[in-house]
Amino acid sequence: MQRIAGWWDGFELWVAGLPFIPQFLVVLVGMVPISFALAYLLDRALRATFRLLGRDDRDDAVEPMPVMVERPTVGSGAR
């Protein structure tokens, strides 16, 4: 664990020593994929949890929505 902590401290110091634009790019390249992966995993875990609890968003007992009757277009009367 000490090796990992030492490596991380070195990486942090390296990133902190960069100018702003390269620092921003390094953080962006690292954090965007990690954030998407975490969001995907949380979505899957919560979906499975809600399904187990019977609170999923798909309800087969719901009747389909009625078809709307198309009404004729009426002009505003302005000329």
Side-chain angles (χ1 to χ4, degrees):
M1 191 56 94
Q2 292 296 330
R3 291 173 102 179
I4 295 171
W7 174 84
W8 182 252
D9 287 341
F11 180 74
E12 251 184 329
L13 288 173
W14 174 74
V15 171
L18 291 173
F20 176 73
I21 297 297
Q23 189 179 58
F24 175 76
L25 291 175
V26 166
V27 170
L28 192 68
V29 166
M31 290 309 295
V32 168
I34 290 171
S35 297
F36 275 111
L38 282 174
Y40 178 79
L41 292 173
L42 282 172
D43 179 59
R44 293 294 174 188
L46 288 172
R47 187 175 297 174
T49 303
F50 285 148
R51 192 171 295 139
L52 285 173
L53 295 174
R55 300 200 48 166
D56 57 344
D57 58 353
R58 291 179 287 142
D59 191 7
D60 297 333
V62 174
E63 295 179 20
M65 292 185 61
V67 178
M68 298 296 290
V69 177
E70 194 167 324
R71 299 185 327 185
T73 306
V74 178
S76 67
R79 295 195 187 255

